[in-house]
Amino acid sequence: MCGIFGIDGRDDAANHVYLGLYALQHRGQESTGIVAWDGERMRIERGMGHVADVFPASALARLSGSRSIGHTRYSTAGSSVVENAQPILVKTSMGALAIVHNGNLTNGLTLRRRLEEEGSIFQTTSDTEVILHLMARAPRTDVVESLTTALAAIEGAYSLLLIAEGFLAAARDPHGFRPLAMAELDGGVCFASESCAFDLLGARAVRELEPGEVVVVRDGRVESHRLARAGTPRRCVFEHVYFARPDSVVFGDSVAETRRRLGERLAREAPAPADMVVPVPDSGLYAALGYARESGLPFELGMTRNHYVGRTFIEPKQSIRNFGVKVKLNPVQEIIRGRRVVLIDDSIVRGTTSRKIVRMVREAGAAEVHLRISSPPTAWPCYYGIDTPRRAELIAARKSLEEIRAFVDADSLAYLSVEGLLSCLGGVRSSYCAACWTGDYPVSIAGEDRRQRELFPAVSDEPG
Amino acid sequence: MCGIFGIDGRDDAANHVYLGLYALQHRGQESTGIVAWDGERMRIERGMGHVADVFPASALARLSGSRSIGHTRYSTAGSSVVENAQPILVKTSMGALAIVHNGNLTNGLTLRRRLEEEGSIFQTTSDTEVILHLMARAPRTDVVESLTTALAAIEGAYSLLLIAEGFLAAARDPHGFRPLAMAELDGGVCFASESCAFDLLGARAVRELEPGEVVVVRDGRVESHRLARAGTPRRCVFEHVYFARPDSVVFGDSVAETRRRLGERLAREAPAPADMVVPVPDSGLYAALGYARESGLPFELGMTRNHYVGRTFIEPKQSIRNFGVKVKLNPVQEIIRGRRVVLIDDSIVRGTTSRKIVRMVREAGAAEVHLRISSPPTAWPCYYGIDTPRRAELIAARKSLEEIRAFVDADSLAYLSVEGLLSCLGGVRSSYCAACWTGDYPVSIAGEDRRQRELFPAVSDEPG
Amino acid sequence: MCGIFGIDGRDDAANHVYLGLYALQHRGQESTGIVAWDGERMRIERGMGHVADVFPASALARLSGSRSIGHTRYSTAGSSVVENAQPILVKTSMGALAIVHNGNLTNGLTLRRRLEEEGSIFQTTSDTEVILHLMARAPRTDVVESLTTALAAIEGAYSLLLIAEGFLAAARDPHGFRPLAMAELDGGVCFASESCAFDLLGARAVRELEPGEVVVVRDGRVESHRLARAGTPRRCVFEHVYFARPDSVVFGDSVAETRRRLGERLAREAPAPADMVVPVPDSGLYAALGYARESGLPFELGMTRNHYVGRTFIEPKQSIRNFGVKVKLNPVQEIIRGRRVVLIDDSIVRGTTSRKIVRMVREAGAAEVHLRISSPPTAWPCYYGIDTPRRAELIAARKSLEEIRAFVDADSLAYLSVEGLLSCLGGVRSSYCAACWTGDYPVSIAGEDRRQRELFPAVSDEPG
Amino acid sequence: MCGIFGIDGRDDAANHVYLGLYALQHRGQESTGIVAWDGERMRIERGMGHVADVFPASALARLSGSRSIGHTRYSTAGSSVVENAQPILVKTSMGALAIVHNGNLTNGLTLRRRLEEEGSIFQTTSDTEVILHLMARAPRTDVVESLTTALAAIEGAYSLLLIAEGFLAAARDPHGFRPLAMAELDGGVCFASESCAFDLLGARAVRELEPGEVVVVRDGRVESHRLARAGTPRRCVFEHVYFARPDSVVFGDSVAETRRRLGERLAREAPAPADMVVPVPDSGLYAALGYARESGLPFELGMTRNHYVGRTFIEPKQSIRNFGVKVKLNPVQEIIRGRRVVLIDDSIVRGTTSRKIVRMVREAGAAEVHLRISSPPTAWPCYYGIDTPRRAELIAARKSLEEIRAFVDADSLAYLSVEGLLSCLGGVRSSYCAACWTGDYPVSIAGEDRRQRELFPAVSDEPG
C-alpha cells in the first residue's frame, strides 16, 4: 500500500511529483522520496514523514530536471528506517537508475538469496532492489530490455516506475493487482497510482496501463511493450473498498460510486431496525450514503473526525477509556442520544478498533448499535501489497459471525457477501482478486518468501 | 481565534493539556505552548506549528506537575514568531505567573503605551502581556485581587486562563464574547474553549463560565468571583457558524444541530432549482444536511477534502489553475457531471476562494451551480478575536448581492438572513454579537488601538 | 568572563561583530548573540554554542544595518538556557534598546527585588536586565541620560555596550575591573573586550576606555561622558594571568609579554632542580618560556593538547584513568621519560585537575615533577565576573602549601608571590584588584546579593 | 588522510571507538561514522562533522556490542556527502560486513568498472566499497579467505579494518604506506592509525602491523595472516612531517622527536641571520624548537592560533586583508616588532597561505622574515591517500626556489633536502615513500584511475 507518481517532459518535474504525492498521501505517510534527472545527474531526496515535511522548497529546488519519480510509503513493521524509503537510486554500468514500486513480490526473497550467493550486495531490505540487481546482471543490450528481462523473473504484484538516463518506464504486473494510470499534461506524460493525482495537477487522464504492459516514455514519444509472461487480470478489490480516494477512478470505476453501490447492496442484504445511518468517518461515508438511500433511513454525521492527528500520542499516566480511537473520532451526542444507529464501516481486521467505536457510540447514548460492514469478512492475509496481519490475528479467521458480534459488542452485525461485492464492480467478476475474503490466491508464494512471511508477518496499525 | 485549555489537580497535568489542545487544534495551528507548575517551578515549552510536532514526549516529561495551561494560536499577519506564542510566562514579585488568552482587547495598545511611559518593559507585541503588567503594578494584596484589578482596566473580548504559584484562575469578559467551559475529571478541574476537549479526556462537562465571572481553583476548591464591570452577554455567533467543532456544545447549544438548523432555515429562505445538495467540506457539511432534508433534494458528497494538507505548497513554475483550492478540495466528477448542484458553504469573506470552488465544480461538469451561504453577508471586521480582514477587503462591504454572484460565477447566490440566523440559536436573540453582519459593535475600540488597526489590519488566509 | 564586541558606522555591522566574537571565543563558548539596527528595526539572533554554529550566513543576512553589538558567554551553573544569552533586547517608550555586559553587579539582585516590588517584569535571571529596567524608569530626558542615571545606581564590575535607535554607547564601571577598548575601522568605531578582535578585522586600536567613562557614538561623532560616581582603578589581574588571549593588549600591557615576565619572576622566586621546563598547554605556554629562559633549562613541548575537544564526552562504562584531563592533554612520552620536569601552569582552583595532570606526567615516565604556578594561591571567590567556585571549594582556602603539594602529588610546588606578580605589571600596583588572592575586596556586595551567592555559588568546570 | 580505530572484546566497544576517533580527529573532520556488532545485528551511525557532534549519547547507546570500528574522514572535493562517510556496511550472503579504510587504491576505478560490468551495484563513489564487492564475489570458503582474496586484487595504499559477524580483521597493504598499530586493553584488542588514540584509552601499544599483514581477532584469539603479494616497505614520510599528532609514535618513531630532528637538520642546512625562531602554529612547533636549539637563537611564540575555528567564515562585504589566515593566526606584535624572524613551517603546497602568513608577520612589524620549511619542495601529487592538488597547482612544480621566495615575499627561503629529511628517520632510508618530493612512485596507477585523476583532481584547502 504505497503511492507512486512520475512525470517526463515538464520542467520542474520534481515539483509536479511532489504535488502528485500530496494527492496520494492517503496511500502512505511513513516515508517519502523523489528522484529527478536533470540531463546530467540524478538527485534524490528522501525522509521519514509526510510529503510536506520532507520536501521544503530548498529540497525541491535541488531536484531540478524534467524527468522525475516519487513514492509515498505505508508503515509496515520492522523497517521504519529512511534507508528503506523509496525511490532506490543506484549507479550501474548502464548509468544511474531509480525505481519506485507499489506492491509485493512473492518470490523477492528467493531471488535475493540467489543474487547474494552470486555476489550481489544489497543496500536495503526492500524487495524493490531485487529488480535493479536483476537488471544490472541482465545480458547487456539496452536498458529497456534489461528491465523486461528483470521483470520476467519476478512474480507477485507490482506497479512500478523507473527512470534511467534516457527514459521513464512504467510497468504493471501480468495480473494487474495494483492500479497504475497514465495522463497527459501539456506535453508531459505522467503516471500515478490513482487519478486524483492527475486532478490536482490539471492533467488529462489517458488510460490505465494494461496488466503486463510496460510503457516507455523516451524523447517525448510513448512506446508500449508487453511482458512475455501472460496472466489473467486480478485487480485488488480492496482498492475500491478501502484504500483509494473516493474522488479517484480506479480500474475504470469511480471509487465513490462503487462504494455507494456497496452500501446500497448492503442495505438490501442486511437491513437493520434503526432510526438513522451513521458512517465511521471517513472510511464509511459513501457506503453509508448508499445504505441510507436504499433503506430510506436518514443519513446523519453522528461522529466527527479530528483531522489534525499526528504521528504519536502521549497518553497521560491515568489511562483514558478508548484512548486510541478517541483521538481520532468523537460522537456527536446530540445526534446519537436515544437513537437506534446503523453504523457503517468498510472492514474489520482485528476487531479491536470496531469494538472501541461501538462502545464509544453506546456511551454517547445510542439506544442500539447495528454494525454493517461494506465488504466480506477479511479472513486471509494479502501477499500482494495490502498490509494485513497474519491469519491468526484476523478476527474473521478465528471467530464466527456471532462471536465477532459479541466481541465488538454490537446489537447486530452483518457483512456484505462476496457475491454481493463483486456484483457492484464493473467488468468481468473473475478479473478481480478476492483472496483476502476467499483464500483463493492467484499467485503462490515462493519457498523462502513463505518461510520469512511466517516468521515475521507484517504487524501494523489496524486499518479499519 | 485561539484555543485554550487548563487543568488543576491531576498529576501529569501538562499531558492532559496537550490532549486538550489536540482537540482544539482547529482553533489555530500556527503556534502552541504549555506551562506547568510542579510546586516549585513553572516550566514552559512553546513552538511554531501543530501540537503533535511541538511537544514530543521529552517536552511533556519536562512539564511535570499538577497544574497546567496551554494555548493554540491562529495565524495572524505580522507576528508569526515564537516569541508571540502563548502562554506568556513572567517572574514577578508575586512569583511566577503564566497566562493564555483567547480574544482581543479593544484598549490593549492604549494601555500598553501608558505602561511603557511608566517604565514597564514588554517582551512581546501581544495584548495579553498587558494584563500581566497591570497585575504586577496593582496594589499588592493578594494575587487574585491583582487579577481582578487588572481585568477591571481592560476592555474587549477575552476568555483567559492564568496560573500562579497558588491557584489556577479562569475568566470571561463581561460580554462573554468567547466561550469558556468548565469540567471535572476525577478530582481535577479543567477548562476549555470547547467541550470537544472534555470528550477526548473523558471529563464531565459542568457548565460554561458566566460573562464577567472569574473562577479560581485553589487547593482543590472552586471559588467564583464577579467582575465589578457589568455587561450584557454578546456571544459570538461565528463560533456556531464556522469556528467551533461540530461535536462541541458552545453557549449551551450543539454546534452540529445549530448548523443543521441554519441549513434548514436557508432551504426555506432560499430554495434552488437543483438535483442535489453538495457541501463544501468540511465547513458546509451539517448545513448541507439540513438544507437537503428540508428541501427534499438528495445530499451528495460531491467534493472531497485532502486532510494531509500541510503548511506550505510549492507550486510549479507552470501555474496550475485554481491551485490553492485544488490542494485541499477535489470534486467527484462521476457525481457532479451533468447535474444541477446546490453548493453549501458557511461564509464568503473576500470571495476569491468561493470563486475558485464554483469554477472547479463547473469544470467537473456541473450543469448549474447555486451557491447558498449559511450565514448573512460578512460586511464588517471583527474587533473581538475573529481574524477578519479590513472592511475594504470584505466583498460584501463593497458589492451588491448580484455583483457578488457575478464575481463568484454562480448561477444563483443567496445568504441566510440575520433574522433567520438568530432564530436558529437558543436563548435571547439580543444576547449575541452579530457585528460582523450588522456593524453594530457592542464595545467600541480605543483611540490608539483604532489607529493601529487601520494601519496594520490583520491579513490572513481567507477562512471560507 | 564574557566577551563583548560592538561597532557603529559600517555596513554589514553584524558581520563585523560576528568576526569580533570569533576572536573573543576563548572568553566564553556557552552561548552567543548579536543584535543589529538597520535604521528601522532591531533584529536579534541568539543561540547556545559557538559563534560559528549559532550564526550561519542566513542569520547574518537577517542582521542587516550599520550598528551592532554582540556577546559570547561563559558557562555558569544553573542558567544554561538560551533565554539568558545576551544581548538582551527590549522595547521601551524610548524605542528599542539592546545591551551586552561583561562583569557582575554586586547589587544586582537587590535592585531587581526593588524593581519587581514596583511592578517591573523581568524576562531573564540575568543582572544585565536590571540596567534596562532602571533606564526605562529613569525620568525621561534623553536616552543617554537615562543610561547614566541607571549606571549611577548599579555597583560592581561592568564593561557594557548598548545600542539605541540613535546611538551606540560603551561604558566601563568606575573601578574599571573589566577591560574595554576602542578602535577605528575605515570610518567605523568599534569596541571590544580585547585587542585581538581588532587585529582580526584590521581595525586600528585607539585606546582603552577610562574607568567610569561612557563613550557615545552618534551620527559618526564620538562623545565622552563621565559617571558622577568616582572610583579608583581596580583592574582584574586574572585577565593577564589566565583569561585574555596572549596576542591581546589588555590594560596597556601585552598579555604574552606579561605572562613571560611572570614566568621569569617565578624562576627567580622558585627555582627547581630539573632537566626541562614543560608548559601545561595552552595556559602555561608563555610563563614556561619565561621560566626556561630565566632558569637556563631547556623549554620542551612535553604535553600536547587536543584542539578538537567538544562539549560532552561519553566515557565508557569501564572507567578510564584520568579521563577528563586525558581527553584534552596527552604527554609526549619520548620527551618526558626519565627526566625531571618543571611543570608550569597559571593557577590551581580545586586542585583536582592539577592532580590528574601531575599523575599523567608521572605515568608518562617523568623522574620528578616540580609544579610551578605563575600566580599566587587562589583563596577567595571573585564577585566581579570571574567564575570561581565558593570559598570552601578553593583548595588554597583550606589547605597549606605542603598539603596542596601532597594532594596534587608533585615533588615540589611553588606559587608566585602577590608582590612578585604585581611587580610584573605596568602602572601603579594599587590600581589592580587582587582580591582572589588577598581577600581585599574593593567593592562590597549588597545583602540580597550576598545571600543568593551563598546559596547558589557558581559551580563550573575548573578553569585551570 | 583519514583516521581509523577498531576494537574487539570490550563491552561498550563503540564508546571506545568514539574516544579513539576523538584522538584521531586531526586526521579528518569532514565526516565520521561507527559500526558496532552486538552478536545479532550490526548498527551504524554516520554524519557530517566532528565526532562530538555526530555521536550524542543516544547514538552511542544504540551502538551496543563488543566489536566496533570507526572512521574519521578528511574533506576531499566532490564527495562531501554523508553517503560517502565510512564505515560502509553491507549485507551479503556471508552476513553483514562493515569496513573502514585509510589510503587510496590505485586500481580502484578500474576494478569498479569491471565489477559493474558484471552486474555489481555500488552504493557509494568510494574506492573502499570495491573491496566488499570483491569479497562478495570471491569463491565461498570462509570470510577471512574472501578478504585475502579481495586484497590480492587491489593495489595502492590501504590500512583497513573490517568486522564480520565472527571476527575483526585489520590489514595493511604490502608496501605499508599508511600506519596501523595494535594495542591491548584489559582483554580487548584494539587498532588505530596512531598511538595517541591508545594513550587516551589507557591501552598498551603492542606493535605496528607489518606491511602485507592481516591480523584477525576471533573469539579473543589473535591470528596473523600474510598476503601472498609481496612488497617492499614504503612508509609515507608525510605522516611524520605533517599529518600525525606529535604525541604519536608512527613507524616506530616519536613524531615530536622526528620533527625536532628535522628542525635541527634544517638549522644546519639552512641557517638564517635572525633574532628569533617563530613557529607557524601548530604545524611548525617542534621543528622550530629543534631549529632554535641547533642555531642558538631564542624560540618565541610570536604567533597565536585561534582554536575555536569552525567550518565556514562569513567575510563582510568590505574585504579584510589576509582574511583566511587571520581567522586562524594572529602575530603577537610586541614579540615580533622590529626583529628579524626565522619562520618555521612544515610544507608549502600552493604558496598562497605561506604568502599571507609572511605578509601578516611583516605587517606586525618584523624587520626581516626568513622562511624555513622542514621538508623538501612538494612537487608531485600523492596517489596513496594524502590529499594533494594536481601537479599544476603545486608551486614547487612550476617555480624555482627564488621564484617561490619572491612569491611568498620572504627575505630568504630554504627547504630541507630529501637527503637531510631521510637521515632524520629511523630504519632503512629506502623503506620510505618520498614520491611527493621525488616523483619516484613505488606503485603505478591503473589506466581508468589515471584518467579519472586527471579529470577530477582533488581540490582541497591547502594544508600548509
Side-chain angles (χ1 to χ4, degrees), chain A residues 18-288:
Chain A
Y18 155 86
L19 290 167
L21 296 179
Y22 224 102
L24 299 173
Q25 188 75 88
H26 62 289
R27 297 183 72 88
Q29 305 101 47
E30 196 206 36
S31 67
T32 184
I34 299 178
V35 164
W37 166 252
D38 67 0
E40 299 224 329
R41 276 184 62 180
M42 293 233 187
R43 288 191 182 77
I44 187 166
E45 298 281 336
R46 295 185 305 180
M48 303 305 291
H50 285 231
V51 170
D53 297 329
V54 170
F55 303 108
S58 58
L60 287 188
R62 279 190 292 277
L63 295 166
S64 57
S66 63
R67 183 182 302 145
S68 178
I69 56 174
H71 188 267
T72 178
R73 184 165 176 267
Y74 193 84
S75 170
T76 55
S79 51
S80 292
V81 290
V82 77
E83 279 74 21
N84 279 332
Q86 296 191 16
I88 299 180
L89 168 61
V90 295
K91 293 177 190 77
T92 72
S93 59
M94 295 171 281
L97 297 177
I99 193 169
V100 294
H101 168 207
N102 171 27
N104 199 59
L105 305 189
T106 51
N107 66 339
L109 205 56
T110 306
L111 289 170
R112 183 191 180 104
R113 289 284 172 266
R114 206 192 72 209
L115 287 160
E116 284 184 341
E117 285 303 316
E118 292 170 4
S120 289
I121 291 178
F122 280 72
Q123 304 177 29
T124 69
T125 58
S126 144
D127 273 4
T128 313
E129 197 182 347
V130 166
I131 304 169
L132 296 171
H133 283 276
L134 290 170
M135 288 181 69
R137 285 175 174 271
R140 204 56 30 80
T141 43
D142 82 346
V143 191
V144 171
E145 211 165 325
S146 294
L147 173 61
T148 53
T149 305
L151 295 182
I154 64 177
E155 291 171 2
Y158 54 86
S159 286
L160 65 82
L161 299 172
L162 175 138
I163 55 178
E165 300 184 1
F167 62 87
L168 161 63
R172 220 171 144 210
D173 68 70
H175 295 289
F177 286 103
R178 302 274 139 236
L180 187 61
M182 176 163 58
E184 189 191 80
L185 175 58
D186 284 349
V189 179
C190 50
F191 299 88
S193 296
E194 294 181 29
S195 67
C196 63
F198 301 145
D199 295 345
L200 172 53
L201 287 167
R204 195 180 54 80
V206 174
R207 63 175 177 91
E208 296 211 329
L209 267 70
E210 295 295 314
E213 184 179 9
V214 180
V215 170
V216 174
V217 184
R218 186 163 11 195
D219 300 328
R221 290 187 318 276
V222 177
E223 318 156 5
S224 174
H225 303 247
R226 283 252 137 222
L227 292 181
R229 179 195 292 259
T232 49
R234 291 294 186 195
R235 305 152 180 167
C236 170
V237 186
F238 225 73
E239 290 278 350
H240 270 292
V241 170
Y242 164 73
F243 208 55
R245 247 171 65 170
D247 50 334
S248 285
V249 171
V250 164
F251 306 137
D253 282 324
S254 157
V255 174
E257 290 293 337
T258 302
R259 286 186 189 161
R260 177 158 36 186
R261 282 196 298 270
L262 296 176
E264 289 167 357
R265 173 86 188 200
L266 183 60
R268 290 194 297 274
E269 290 191 7
D275 302 314
M276 57 170 67
V277 178
V278 169
V280 173
D282 289 341
S283 49
L285 278 175
Y286 286 88

Side-chain angles (χ1 to χ4, degrees), chain B residues 129-183:
Chain B
E129 198 182 346
V130 166
I131 304 169
L132 295 171
H133 282 275
L134 290 170
M135 287 181 70
R137 285 175 173 271
R140 205 53 35 74
T141 44
D142 82 348
V143 190
V144 172
E145 212 165 323
S146 294
L147 174 61
T148 53
T149 305
L151 295 182
I154 64 177
E155 292 170 1
Y158 55 85
S159 285
L160 65 83
L161 298 172
L162 175 138
I163 56 177
E165 300 183 0
F167 62 88
L168 162 63
R172 219 172 143 211
D173 69 70
H175 295 289
F177 285 103
R178 303 273 137 238
L180 188 59
M182 178 162 58

